[in-house]
Amino acid sequence: MDFVTQLLIAAISAGTPLLLATLGGILNERAGIIQLGAEGLMLMGAVTTCVVFLRTGNLGVALLATLGVTALLGLIHAFLSITLRANQTMSGLAMTLFGSGLSAYLGKSISGNPLPSSLPRLDLSFLKPIPVIGDIFGNLDVLTWFSIVLVVVLHLLIHRTSWGLHLRAVGDSPATADVMGVHVRLIRYGYVTVGAMLIGLGGADMVLTVAPTWNEGLTGGRGWIAVGLVIFARWNPVRALLCAYFFGALDSLGFRMQLLGSAIPPYFLKMIPYIVTILVLMYLGYRNRNKPSGTPESLGVPYVREQRF
Amino acid sequence: MSQEKASGRTLREPVQLASGGRLPWRLEYDSSRIRTPWWTPIVSVALALLLCAIFIYANGMSPVTVYSKMFRGAFGTSYGITETLVKAIPLLLCGLGIAVAYRISVWNIGAEGQLTVGAIAATAVTIYFPNLSGFWSILLMLIFGIAAGALWGLFTAIPKTHFGVNELITSLMLNYVALLALDYVTFGPWKDPKGFNMPGSPVFTDAQSLPVLGGTRLHIGLILALVAVVIYYLMIRFTRWGYELRIIGANPTAARYAGIHIKRHIIIVMLISGGLAGLAGMTEVSGVSHKLMQGLSPGYGYTAIIVAWLAKLNPLGLVVTSVMFGGLIVGGFSVQTIGLPSSISEMLQGAILFFLIAGDMVTRFRIRRGA
């Protein structure tokens, strides 16, 4: 395998947690709720997977538990921002702080214990004769395939079904949606919960593929990068796939250059994803300065029935 | 909103919970209740303690033992009180900076990074000008620390004002960049040659260390922080700048129509916010650790967010809450001796913030009889 193929494989591997988290963020924000707790949710997803997997030895149970825990956390955020109309920024921040504290607390006893196994892989040997594609797609794990399928499903859901129309209406103009008989609060609750579950699954994927053991704060800001990727992808699942793999490539590029014996200290290489996130967002802001950015119009605004605008 | 204000009466809007109005009472949202009662922060903290007690109990510990040990560790001995105050200094400085920014809804969560670059810049003075006299080296370290923090704040402000980038993402990304820069200098060029290959800069000389108060570990940064609180209060209360900040905070649209330069204010506010956090980094490195090392801050920048929010951005309240959270950090360390991780204090902080923002809103609802 040449360098480019290896980099592509590494990009998909490092990009899948980002992709899952970004898709979760897109669902949240399309429904008009900002989810800044992605970092805390990913950490909770990762620690739940580790604890349950080590306790029961069953990966399926671990993933189900992860979905359950993150759904509960998503419901807390939903309750605060939808029913109580609290400040969504602060609620997300609280989620991040609480998630990183609780995950460190729960994971203390299993820190450093290697997991019994990693994700099962889908063996597509018949692809092997095709040069690059065979190398990349021949041996991906199930969560990666799930995330790729999810991109297609969400794209169709958001842009081609009446459910997606309701979702976009709730995010853009909840008052109009409400008048048309769409249950704004129920839809927001639903998507915030599902979005949180996807973000948690991203954390689980991270711990299962990138680092096969729990360490305190192992996501290292990837939840926040995913929050930026939602904007970068302009709330579109297909673009989210490309953006997540691009950042996955950046993430693994530093590691690979280190292996090749680069003279640049590794600390500077590790800075690349963070700095590129800022630069990309600045570029997008500059390019879209006179255009609609694709932001759901009621993002972050609590919906109050009977309130005049 | 506008109609309510114009007609001068309150619009009460019933909220249907899941039961769909079948209960004998209902909740009403009363948007005129902007001021939250004084007891909500206390109740919020109590509920957060209760929630975390469940996790402690599930871990096989008695919550009462743990909490009393935390409290005694932080406030029970003179050593504990000194440590609490030492930890309160960076919290107060960072919290003050955060409060200035949050006044006009600039959500700076980059105090951690601004503190770190402040510490790095202050250490740079000790590395490149090792033989200055006490006064000059401390002065230069202060200037460098504040300037570096302010510059880091500017990196958050400019993308927001000129490129429309969300400051939450920028400031947080810069935290990681600052921490990696800290790793680089402590493992690389500034590593102490006599440090047995441990990462960290050489230990500061007496001329490079902040004076201490009465032979304790408490340093002069406490006085700097208290002076900053007084200046903050006077500036917000009595200057044109403070008045404009209050207007932007109350109604940004009205402020813009009144001709207030919001962008300029965002930049000024981020410079102050970053500068104060940079000052905190300088006092930490020169007054407490006496050398640049990893783990310089146990998340002061993040804790300061809760400190500022709990104090409702009020200067006097900030003094109280920063001492309280200094105690929480010290208490978190003290329970390590009975085998609990210190992350328990981090967990408590997140829970307190959750209940705080919920409490602010819950008190705006009232329960009424009849469906």
Side-chain angles (χ1 to χ4, degrees):
Chain A
M1 275 190 276
D2 56 347
F3 181 77
V4 176
T5 316
Q6 281 184 349
L7 189 66
L8 280 173
I9 293 172
I12 293 178
S13 167
T16 302
L18 286 174
L19 176 58
L20 285 167
T22 309
L23 291 175
I26 288 175
L27 285 185
N28 265 300
E29 300 207 351
R30 280 274 185 181
I33 306 290
I34 311 175
Q35 175 59 281
L36 292 173
E39 180 79 5
L41 285 169
M42 280 181 89
L43 281 168
M44 282 306 292
V47 80
T48 315
T49 307
C50 279
V51 169
V52 179
F53 197 10
L54 283 169
R55 240 343 121 71
T56 64
N58 187 330
L59 182 61
V61 176
L63 288 180
L64 278 181
T66 302
L67 291 179
V69 167
T70 45
L72 196 68
L73 290 170
L75 276 176
I76 294 175
H77 182 66
F79 177 71
L80 281 170
S81 45
I82 301 165
T83 302
L84 292 184
R85 303 160 199 173
N87 185 330
Q88 294 173 20
T89 305
M90 290 313 279
S91 170
L93 218 52
M95 181 73 78
T96 293
L97 287 170
F98 185 67
S100 45
L102 183 60
S103 64
Y105 181 74
L106 294 175
K108 189 76 180 174
S109 58
I110 54 145
S111 182
N113 292 10
L115 295 176
S117 70
S118 72
L119 285 166
R121 289 174 179 277
L122 229 54
D123 190 19
L124 302 178
S125 319
F126 61 88
L127 285 173
K128 275 280 178 262
I130 316 170
V132 179
I133 294 181
D135 286 329
I136 295 174
F137 292 102
N139 203 14
L140 290 177
D141 61 61
V142 282
L143 261 183
T144 308
W145 277 116
F146 171 73
S147 67
I148 294 171
V149 172
L150 195 64
V151 167
V152 180
V153 169
L154 288 186
H155 173 73
L156 294 176
L157 174 89
I158 292 174
H159 299 286
R160 294 281 183 276
T161 66
S162 58
W163 289 350
L165 190 64
H166 290 172
L167 169 64
R168 283 179 288 150
V170 163
D172 279 328
S173 177
T176 315
D178 200 7
V179 170
M180 295 307 289
V182 177
H183 201 312
V184 176
R185 213 173 290 138
L186 189 71
I187 285 186
R188 284 193 164 173
Y189 260 97
Y191 281 107
V192 170
T193 312
V194 174
M197 287 158 79
L198 284 180
I199 297 171
L201 210 55
D205 183 64
M206 179 134 194
V207 80
L208 284 167
T209 55
V210 182
T213 165
W214 165 257
N215 279 308
E216 197 177 318
L218 102 164
T219 49
R222 290 199 177 53
W224 288 100
I225 290 184
V227 173
L229 281 178
V230 173
I231 303 169
F232 189 16
R234 304 186 73 184
W235 295 269
N236 180 328
V238 178
R239 290 175 60 110
L241 179 101
L242 301 174
C243 299
Y245 289 168
F246 172 64
F247 269 79
L250 282 181
D251 221 358
S252 46
L253 190 65
F255 183 61
R256 258 152 224 280
M257 280 171 74
Q258 221 177 313
L259 286 185
L260 292 174
S262 147
I264 311 167
Y267 311 104
F268 292 116
L269 296 173
K270 280 190 205 158
M271 286 180 194
I272 293 174
Y274 306 117
I275 294 175
V276 169
T277 307
I278 298 175
L279 292 179
V280 160
L281 290 175
M282 281 171 74
Y283 166 72
L284 286 180
Y286 172 75
R287 203 189 61 183
N288 298 335
R289 64 197 177 285
N290 296 324
K291 280 191 291 187
S293 64
T295 319
E297 281 179 24
S298 298
L299 184 63
V301 184
Y303 172 59
V304 185
R305 197 183 252 188
E306 293 159 18
Q307 176 178 290
R308 292 222 180 156
F309 290 96
Chain B
M1 272 309 219
S2 54
Q3 197 222 8
E4 285 167 34
K5 284 195 179 134
S7 64
R9 71 191 162 81
T10 336
L11 220 150
R12 300 236 169 82
E13 177 243 345
V15 173
Q16 286 189 340
L17 292 181
S19 56
R22 277 186 296 273
L23 290 173
W25 45 265
R26 68 204 152 95
L27 281 177
E28 265 186 8
Y29 182 71
D30 184 349
S31 54
S32 68
R33 288 190 173 183
I34 305 293
R35 294 185 74 92
T36 43
W38 58 269
W39 45 264
T40 41
I42 301 168
V43 174
S44 307
V45 172
L47 286 174
L49 287 172
L50 209 62
L51 176 73
C52 292
I54 299 172
F55 288 109
I56 296 171
Y57 186 72
N59 218 13
M61 295 274 190
S62 149
V64 182
T65 324
V66 172
Y67 286 148
S68 66
K69 181 143 185 76
M70 283 178 83
F71 187 79
R72 269 185 282 125
F75 299 104
T77 60
S78 64
Y79 173 78
I81 293 172
T82 317
E83 278 305 293
T84 298
L85 289 178
V86 166
K87 299 255 183 308
I89 296 167
L91 288 179
L92 183 52
L93 284 168
C94 292
L96 209 54
I98 286 167
V100 176
Y102 284 17
R103 244 173 210 281
I104 60 169
S105 296
V106 175
W107 308 110
N108 173 25
I109 53 172
E112 186 81 2
Q114 291 147 13
L115 182 146
T116 306
V117 292
I120 293 174
T123 311
V125 176
T126 70
I127 300 282
Y128 295 113
F129 308 99
N131 298 319
L132 290 175
S133 70
F135 174 77
W136 287 110
S137 75
I138 293 291
L139 186 69
L140 214 57
M141 283 166 86
L142 279 174
I143 293 172
F144 267 63
I146 294 173
L151 182 72
W152 221 243
L154 197 66
F155 287 161
T156 303
I158 298 291
K160 179 173 174 67
T161 52
H162 289 75
F163 298 92
V165 182
N166 189 328
E167 71 278 14
L168 279 156
I169 298 169
T170 329
S171 55
L172 198 103
M173 296 288 116
L174 288 172
N175 284 350
Y176 289 100
V177 175
L179 287 173
L180 283 166
L182 176 71
D183 284 355
Y184 169 65
V185 292
T186 49
F187 279 98
W190 294 356
K191 190 157 87 176
D192 185 6
K194 296 192 285 289
F196 305 105
N197 219 18
M198 293 280 279
S201 77
V203 177
F204 291 5
T205 61
D206 284 348
Q208 293 155 348
S209 300
L210 281 179
V212 291
L213 303 172
T216 57
R217 262 165 60 85
L218 203 55
H219 54 82
I220 202 108
L222 181 67
I223 294 166
L224 288 177
L226 291 176
V227 170
V229 170
V230 175
I231 295 176
Y232 168 73
Y233 173 74
L234 295 177
M235 294 282 278
I236 293 289
R237 195 79 182 74
F238 295 111
T239 65
R240 177 188 166 155
W241 174 76
Y243 179 63
E244 290 189 347
L245 277 197
R246 280 186 283 148
I247 292 182
I248 300 173
N251 191 338
T253 320
R256 206 173 56 244
Y257 284 127
I260 294 173
H261 274 271
I262 296 190
K263 282 186 181 180
R264 191 195 292 158
H265 272 290
I266 291 175
I267 292 176
I268 294 173
V269 145
M270 277 309 297
L271 284 173
I272 295 174
S273 199
L276 282 168
L279 173 61
M282 182 271 163
T283 60
E284 266 311 281
V285 79
S286 166
V288 182
S289 67
H290 301 295
K291 67 171 189 173
L292 192 66
M293 55 177 194
Q294 280 182 300
L296 184 75
S297 147
Y300 288 134
Y302 302 110
T303 308
I305 298 168
I306 312 168
V307 166
W309 197 258
L310 187 62
K312 300 205 177 299
L313 316 182
N314 172 315
L316 192 67
L318 265 164
V319 178
V320 177
T321 51
S322 55
V323 172
M324 192 178 123
F325 275 80
L328 190 58
I329 294 174
V330 174
F333 283 125
S334 74
V335 292
Q336 279 180 311
T337 52
I338 52 170
L340 273 175
S342 67
S343 50
I344 188 169
S345 73
E346 217 176 312
M347 184 171 84
L348 261 173
Q349 290 170 23
I352 289 174
L353 189 56
F354 260 134
F355 282 106
L356 217 57
I357 50 177
D360 280 351
M361 300 307 291
V362 164
T363 48
R364 293 193 194 179
F365 288 85
R366 49 172 73 198
I367 299 171
R368 301 225 134 195
R369 282 182 174 283

